[in-house]
Amino acid sequence: MKAQWHSNRRKEDLKISEKYREMSPAMQNRRELTFLFQEAAFAEKMILYHVIDLEYLDESKKELFLKDLPEARSVIFLGTPIFEPLLLMEQTIYGSRDEKKTTMVESQVECDLRSFSDKLETMGYDVTIKLPTILPDPAFAELLALTRAGFRGKNQRLIIEHFGCRICVGYLVSNAPLMGGDYRYPDFDQNQCGDCQLCLEACSAGALTEGGYDAKRCRDYRDDPKNQKRIAAHSIEKCNRCMASCPLGAKTNWA
Ligand code: SF4
Ligand code: SF4
C-alpha cells in the first residue's frame, strides 16, 4: 500500500520504478522536478494528484494530449472532492467583459490548475489547461481513468477509491519531463459497478443507459427551470442525481 498524503510517509513508500533510476544528470533533474511538484501537491492537500509520462502511453492515447500541446511530455491531473452538494450549486459570476456560469467546485479546481500552471510556466515550461466538468462525460471519464486512480462508472463519471464519483478533476498538459505515477494511492482501476443500476434508475431524464449517455437529454433536463431549485438570486441547484445516488465513496456520502 502506498502512503497517502495524510499519513506519515516513509522512504520505502516512495517507490521509484526502474525506468526512472538511471543516474544521469538529466534523470536526476527529472526526479527533482517530479518531487518538487509532488511536494506542492502534498502541501496543498490535493486529494487527486497524478502524473502521466506521455513517453509510456500508447500512441493512440498520447494523441489525445498532443493535440493540446504538440511537444507535450507529461499530464498532471488535479482533483478535489465534492463533500457536499452545495459545491455543485451553479452561480452566475459577472466579470468585466462577460458573465460566466460555474459551480464552486469547478472554480476551486480551476484555481488549483492555474496555480500549478503558474509554477510550471515560472520554470519555463509550456502548459495548456483542461478545465473540469461536473456533467457525466464518457470520453472525459475514460481519459481520467488512464491515471488508474479510478474507473469509468455506469454514471459516466470517474470513480476513485474513498471518494467515489463525487470528485471534480481537470488536468494540465505540459512539456515538463515529469516522471509518471502517484506515490500515494494504489491503483483503483477495477470496475466496481457490478449489477448496480442506482444511477441509471435515478436519472429522470432517461439520459443514462447501460453503457450509454445522451448529453442532449441531460442538458435539456438540467436547463429546464422546472427541474431546478433556486437557492439565491444568482444561484441554482441543477440535477446531480446520478452523482448523489452512487453508493461508492464513503468519504463523500452526502446522506
Ligand atoms: S441524473 Fe441528472 S445529471 Fe445525471 S445524467 Fe441524468 S439528467 Fe444528467
Ligand atoms: S450508482 Fe452503481 S452503477 Fe452507477 S456508477 Fe455508482 S456503483 Fe456504478
Side-chain angles (χ1 to χ4, degrees), residues 69 71-72 74 117 120-121 123-128 173-176:
L69 188 70
E71 67 279 17
S74 60
S117 172
L120 285 160
E121 284 178 344
M123 299 173 94
Y125 297 109
D126 297 326
V127 190
T128 63
V173 183
S174 87
N175 55 356

Side-chain angles (χ1 to χ4, degrees), residues 11-237:
K11 195 177 169 198
E12 54 271 30
D13 289 325
L14 300 176
K15 293 189 178 70
I16 300 177
S17 72
E18 201 57 47
K19 63 193 179 212
Y20 297 124
R21 288 205 191 161
E22 187 189 304
M23 294 311 289
S24 65
M27 190 56 85
Q28 182 61 27
N29 283 344
R30 289 187 72 179
R31 283 192 289 269
E32 282 175 14
L33 187 65
T34 300
F35 285 109
L36 194 65
F37 280 89
Q38 180 88 55
E39 283 305 316
F42 271 95
E44 292 174 30
K45 297 186 168 46
M46 298 300 313
I47 290 294
L48 190 143
Y49 171 83
H50 191 102
V51 177
I52 288 184
D53 177 354
L54 292 180
E55 195 182 338
Y56 296 100
L57 202 60
D58 291 351
E59 286 302 319
S60 59
K61 291 174 183 152
K62 201 189 289 188
E63 281 306 314
L64 299 169
F65 301 107
L66 293 183
K67 64 179 168 40
D68 292 331
L69 188 70
E71 67 279 17
R73 293 191 63 180
S74 60
V75 187
I76 300 180
F77 296 84
L78 299 177
T80 196
I82 306 167
F83 283 114
E84 56 161 298
L86 268 187
L87 293 171
L88 289 173
M89 185 173 65
E90 187 178 283
Q91 295 171 309
T92 307
I93 296 169
Y94 297 96
S96 52
R97 289 196 206 142
D98 219 340
E99 64 174 54
K100 181 180 167 188
K101 293 187 189 305
T102 188
T103 62
M104 272 192 269
V105 74
E106 285 171 293
S107 300
Q108 172 64 54
V109 176
E110 183 174 349
C111 285
D112 293 335
L113 290 168
R114 296 202 185 284
S115 156
F116 273 71
S117 172
D118 279 352
K119 291 181 184 41
L120 285 160
E121 284 178 344
T122 305
M123 299 173 94
Y125 297 109
D126 297 326
V127 190
T128 63
I129 292 180
K130 175 74 176 172
L131 295 176
T133 171
I134 47 99
L135 291 179
D137 186 333
F140 196 54
E142 203 58 51
L143 202 143
L144 299 181
L146 290 173
T147 58
R148 305 185 73 179
F151 61 91
R152 172 163 68 106
K154 288 183 195 172
N155 59 3
Q156 308 301 339
R157 299 173 181 278
L158 179 77
I159 297 186
I160 70 166
E161 195 176 17
H162 307 305
F163 302 93
C165 63
R166 289 170 291 274
I167 177 135
C168 185
V169 188
Y171 64 81
L172 304 159
V173 183
S174 87
N175 55 356
L178 296 170
M179 288 157 33
D182 180 322
Y183 302 93
R184 298 166 298 170
Y185 290 104
D187 292 344
F188 188 72
D189 54 352
Q190 293 300 310
N191 193 303
Q192 313 220 346
C193 287
D195 295 332
C196 177
Q197 299 255 322
L198 287 175
C199 55
L200 311 188
E201 290 160 6
C203 178
S204 309
L208 284 174
T209 51
E210 189 85 41
Y213 169 65
D214 185 330
K216 182 172 183 314
R217 268 180 189 242
C218 173
R219 283 179 198 278
D220 287 350
Y221 184 86
R222 296 182 91 244
D223 290 343
D224 186 339
K226 286 204 301 287
N227 305 320
Q228 299 171 349
K229 194 162 134 194
R230 185 156 294 280
I231 309 285
H234 300 293
S235 305
I236 51 172
E237 193 183 312

